[in-house]
Amino acid sequence: MTGTMVKGLTNAQIAWRAAQDIADGAYVNLGIGFPEMVARYQPPGRQAIFHTENGVLDFGEAPPAGQEDWDLINAGKKAITLKPGAAIFHHADSFAMVRGGHLDVAILGAYQVAETGDLANWRVGSKGVPAVGGAMDLVHGAKRVAVITDHVTRDGQPKLVDRCTFPLTGVACVTRVYTSHAVVDIAEGRFVLREKLPGQSLEDLQAMTGARLHLDGPLTDLTVPELAE
Amino acid sequence: MDKTIATPAAAVEGIADGASVMIGGFGGSGAPIELIHALIDRFRATGSPGGLTVINNNAGNGRIGIAAMIDAGMVAKMICSFPRSSDPRAFTERYLAGGIALELVPQGTLAERIRAAGAGIPAFYTPTSFGTELAEGKPVAEFDGRMYVQERWLKADVALVKAETADRHGNLTYRLAARNFNPLMCMAAARTVVQASRVVAAGGIDPELVVTPGIFVDAVVEVREPQQEEALIRAGVGYA
């Protein structure tokens, strides 16, 4: 990497930024792990309804330790609670909500995202035990499929690329990427830069990115509050 | 009509070597532990049934349930979406040693294949997995400008299911998110065996609240205060 690294956003800050784009009353699926953090940062006055693949709509926070009911879990097998107005259903109905275009937003993690909208987020090679879960279903059907991710890997390799080299989860499915350094839309097979960190030059951001960043419409500062992790 | 059977052991008697067995649950939620353990007991006592194909979302956790079936050497193949868990040793070690086969199916496709089997639909098209390695070798087709992958129904010889309340006709309700794959599997197996925490007389479940109609159920065994897989794992319990 030739680019000068500006200190990027923390995971909490990336999640916060993604949460600002979720409308009140939206039906949302958050991928297991890092994307689950998005639920913490809903703007005041807005309340999304969260879906989990194993058959619950409108679940809430984890119960206090010791009060878990292990028949009430999310897709990550963590204990959850039900909010007033929650619904429980079987797996075929749950994935009808996913593929049938009923969810407003799915927010997922990524190993790589390509400028074509291709996503790789389920395995990095052919070794070990493969496990896909609901990843390949979630990338199809939601009205918006967004990714939250660091802009580069730990060893500085771009995660936004021209073509994914890891096994694909889905083809041409991602519409927006929130990274540690930028907000990037994917439109007509190209990355369109919408927001970048103040203080970072376009040249440096481009150098951290594995495909051309296009400008189309306004480019604004990516500003996020300080947040505890 | 009375579909009740006295014990889990009697409920799993007919399952043959080489059978395909759907097992309900998602992780520990909705896993019919007593039926699974009754099947393991039978295998340990008689050497049968072995060579099973097990269909579940996962591939066992810890040393109980499906993991204990794998440890016992009863399982030849897993069909699942996510063969990982907090303690996946049973499957992982056997898989990496070449001792168990794996058919990996995306979770929504797994659910729909099971539903399709129960509904008499031999194949369907889904956008899921198009362009990925899990679609290799499968027919694809374009509908209204998008590409889809053909998937086939998934049937089984037997389904082992956990319900909350059953009546003697086999009508079922489920507890919280323990519903998951259970209603689908009831529809897709040639024989469906249910363990229920409570068995009531016909009429004991409000017909408007029945989740699985009894037509999909062949046998019901009452298991009061059933064990919960996740709770057992957290307590460090194994079934050996």
Side-chain angles (χ1 to χ4, degrees):
Chain A
M1 277 298 91
T2 54
T4 309
M5 293 288 278
V6 170
K7 185 178 175 299
L9 303 181
T10 63
N11 278 358
Q13 289 175 311
I14 300 170
W16 181 92
R17 177 61 192 86
Q20 306 314 301
D21 289 347
I22 299 175
D24 186 37
Y27 290 94
V28 180
N29 185 292
L30 302 176
I32 294 169
F34 171 27
E36 291 177 65
M37 241 188 205
V38 172
R40 291 191 211 160
Y41 299 114
Q42 293 183 83
R46 287 192 225 164
Q47 197 167 34
I49 294 172
F50 293 103
H51 167 269
T52 185
E53 294 94 300
N54 56 311
V56 182
L57 263 178
D58 214 3
F59 66 95
E61 309 239 321
Q67 290 178 41
E68 299 93 347
D69 184 327
W70 295 110
D71 284 344
L72 186 59
I73 58 175
N74 64 13
K77 317 276 176 12
K78 295 195 188 85
I80 56 173
T81 51
L82 298 176
K83 290 183 178 172
I88 290 172
F89 34 88
H90 63 58
H91 248 84
D93 279 351
S94 183
F95 281 87
M97 294 173 195
V98 172
R99 289 182 309 257
H102 307 284
L103 292 177
D104 294 296
V105 193
I107 299 180
L108 309 168
Y111 297 131
Q112 293 173 323
V113 188
E115 61 186 347
T116 53
D118 294 359
L119 174 66
N121 80 346
W122 73 288
R123 68 186 311 203
V124 293
S126 56
K127 287 189 181 149
V129 177
V132 65
M136 286 190 186
D137 306 278
L138 282 169
V139 298
H140 297 287
K143 295 181 184 84
R144 289 200 306 121
V145 175
V147 156
I148 58 174
T149 179
D150 280 328
H151 203 86
V152 296
T153 64
R154 277 183 195 164
D155 56 358
Q157 296 302 307
K159 297 184 77 168
L160 279 62
V161 295
D162 57 348
R163 294 290 178 275
C164 295
T165 54
F166 294 139
L168 289 183
T169 307
V171 174
C173 50
V174 178
T175 54
R176 175 165 267 206
V177 187
Y178 302 93
T179 80
S180 49
H181 290 72
V183 177
V184 177
D185 280 340
I186 294 173
E188 292 160 2
R190 50 187 210 151
F191 288 131
V192 179
L193 181 62
R194 298 298 184 196
E195 299 177 21
K196 71 173 180 60
L197 288 177
Q200 176 153 55
S201 73
L202 206 51
E203 293 70 29
D204 286 347
L205 185 64
Q206 180 63 69
M208 299 164 62
T209 309
R212 176 89 188 279
L213 291 170
H214 294 263
L215 291 176
D216 182 6
L219 172 62
T220 57
D221 280 345
L222 171 55
T223 50
V224 172
E226 293 297 321
L227 298 166
E229 272 295 287
Chain B
M1 181 181 283
D2 187 355
K3 295 182 179 178
T4 59
I5 288 181
T7 64
V12 301
E13 251 172 21
I15 300 172
D17 288 338
S20 55
V21 183
M22 288 178 175
I23 299 181
F26 180 86
S29 176
I33 290 291
E34 283 77 5
L35 289 177
I36 297 169
H37 289 176
L39 203 56
I40 294 171
D41 292 345
R42 208 188 110 199
F43 178 78
R44 285 188 182 139
T46 69
S48 179
L52 300 174
T53 293
V54 172
I55 300 155
N56 178 264
N57 185 64
N58 303 96
N61 191 3
R63 297 293 185 197
I64 56 170
I66 292 171
M69 288 179 75
I70 294 169
D71 278 337
M74 305 166 66
V75 184
K77 180 179 179 181
M78 282 299 317
I79 301 177
C80 67
S81 87
F82 203 78
R84 288 191 205 144
S85 64
S86 59
D87 176 7
R89 283 173 295 169
F91 179 80
T92 300
E93 288 167 9
R94 204 167 277 256
Y95 176 75
L96 295 178
I100 190 167
L102 171 65
E103 180 180 340
L104 190 71
V105 183
Q107 196 175 128
T109 298
L110 181 63
E112 193 63 17
R113 289 178 65 192
I114 296 167
R115 196 201 71 83
I121 309 285
F124 59 92
Y125 283 90
T126 175
T128 302
S129 90
F130 176 77
T132 76
E133 63 186 61
L134 295 188
E136 283 169 14
K138 293 175 181 170
V140 298
E142 184 183 323
F143 296 92
D144 296 338
R146 279 186 73 187
M147 295 302 294
Y148 297 83
V149 178
Q150 189 193 89
E151 295 282 357
R152 287 176 175 251
W153 59 10
L154 182 59
K155 297 180 173 191
D157 296 312
V158 65
L160 304 181
V161 163
K162 184 180 189 179
E164 174 70 356
T165 302
D167 69 20
R168 291 178 184 278
H169 288 192
N171 295 308
L172 307 178
T173 69
Y174 301 90
R175 185 168 181 276
L176 296 170
R179 184 177 310 195
N180 55 63
F181 283 91
N182 280 302
L184 309 174
M185 290 178 171
C186 285
M187 299 166 64
R191 178 176 168 78
T192 293
V193 177
V194 176
Q195 67 166 73
S197 306
R198 201 163 71 101
V199 175
V200 298
I205 302 174
D206 181 341
E208 289 188 335
L209 301 182
V210 168
V211 178
T212 293
I215 191 170
F216 299 127
V217 171
D218 298 286
V220 174
V221 59
E222 187 173 67
V223 177
R224 289 185 193 179
E225 295 177 20
Q227 299 179 90
Q228 212 287 348
E229 182 181 291
E230 185 69 28
L232 293 178
I233 286 164
R234 282 164 190 270
V237 175
Y239 194 69

